[in-house]
Amino acid sequence: MNSDEKRAIISVSDKSYILDIVEFLTVNDYSIYSTGGTYKFIKDNIPTCNLFKISDLTGFPEILNGRVKTLHPKIYAGILSIRKNKSHDKDLKKNNFRKIDLVIVNFYPFEKSLENKTNHNKIIENIDIGGPTMVRAAA
């Protein structure tokens, strides 16, 4: 991984328009890191883009049936680091972390899962942790 590389993370449940975004990022030389279903969707539709699994960035596999994928210091240090801050650059380099320039997420459809109030497991699986955490970090 090149330190000047532009990196984007894409993790979306609603994949509307994501292929247009991926095409734009590809033309603008971004490396795209993505999670399970989003990775597969992009790879199936734009096999030539510069796409990697999120685990390629973290060095850690998705676990707990996909419940834990982006909750990793390499993700959050990359998002939270202040550009041109020498101390942050030093920490990133020391830990072999990379800056993340762009975060594209939307949240699990939690409200929709509440329509069927009898399926407690489906409701629980639609409580999004990683997406909101990445949005807060990027903000």
Side-chain angles (χ1 to χ4, degrees), residues 59-109:
F60 199 82
E62 293 183 13
I63 60 171
L64 304 179
N65 302 107
R67 280 183 164 194
V68 178
K69 2 181 191 225
T70 61
L71 298 172
H72 193 282
K74 286 188 176 184
I75 300 292
Y76 293 97
I79 295 169
L80 290 165
S81 66
I82 297 172
R83 294 346 185 223
K84 298 183 182 180
N85 179 310
K86 291 181 185 198
S87 174
H88 287 200
D89 287 344
K90 183 178 173 185
D91 285 342
L92 292 176
K93 187 176 282 191
K94 175 182 172 185
N95 290 288
N96 197 29
F97 291 0
R98 304 288 183 249
K99 292 178 182 172
I100 296 167
D101 303 291
L102 185 62
V103 174
I104 301 169
V105 299
N106 56 39
F107 303 157
Y108 296 160

Side-chain angles (χ1 to χ4, degrees), residues 1-128:
M1 277 189 251
N2 172 340
S3 64
D4 294 328
E5 175 184 26
K6 295 183 286 187
R7 292 173 203 83
I9 290 181
I10 302 177
S11 181
V12 294
S13 71
D14 178 356
K15 293 165 183 50
S16 304
Y17 307 106
I18 202 63
L19 297 178
D20 293 332
I21 295 168
V22 168
E23 286 177 358
F24 174 84
L25 293 174
T26 299
V27 167
N28 287 282
D29 298 321
Y30 275 80
S31 293
I32 302 165
Y33 294 86
S34 194
T35 56
T38 304
Y39 173 88
K40 182 179 179 347
F41 180 78
I42 295 169
K43 197 67 165 171
D44 288 349
N45 287 281
I46 309 177
T48 59
C49 69
N50 199 19
L51 180 68
F52 304 92
K53 292 180 179 178
I54 204 79
S55 59
D56 294 331
L57 183 62
T58 63
F60 199 82
E62 293 183 13
I63 60 171
L64 304 179
N65 302 107
R67 280 183 164 194
V68 178
K69 2 181 191 225
T70 61
L71 298 172
H72 193 282
K74 286 188 176 184
I75 300 292
Y76 293 97
I79 295 169
L80 290 165
S81 66
I82 297 172
R83 294 346 185 223
K84 298 183 182 180
N85 179 310
K86 291 181 185 198
S87 174
H88 287 200
D89 287 344
K90 183 178 173 185
D91 285 342
L92 292 176
K93 187 176 282 191
K94 175 182 172 185
N95 290 288
N96 197 29
F97 291 0
R98 304 288 183 249
K99 292 178 182 172
I100 296 167
D101 303 291
L102 185 62
V103 174
I104 301 169
V105 299
N106 56 39
F107 303 157
Y108 296 160
F110 183 70
E111 292 83 9
K112 187 174 183 176
S113 70
L114 293 175
E115 291 172 3
N116 181 357
K117 293 181 173 76
T118 60
N119 191 338
H120 183 72
N121 290 335
K122 184 172 178 145
I123 292 169
I124 294 296
E125 291 305 318
N126 279 282
I127 298 174
D128 196 342

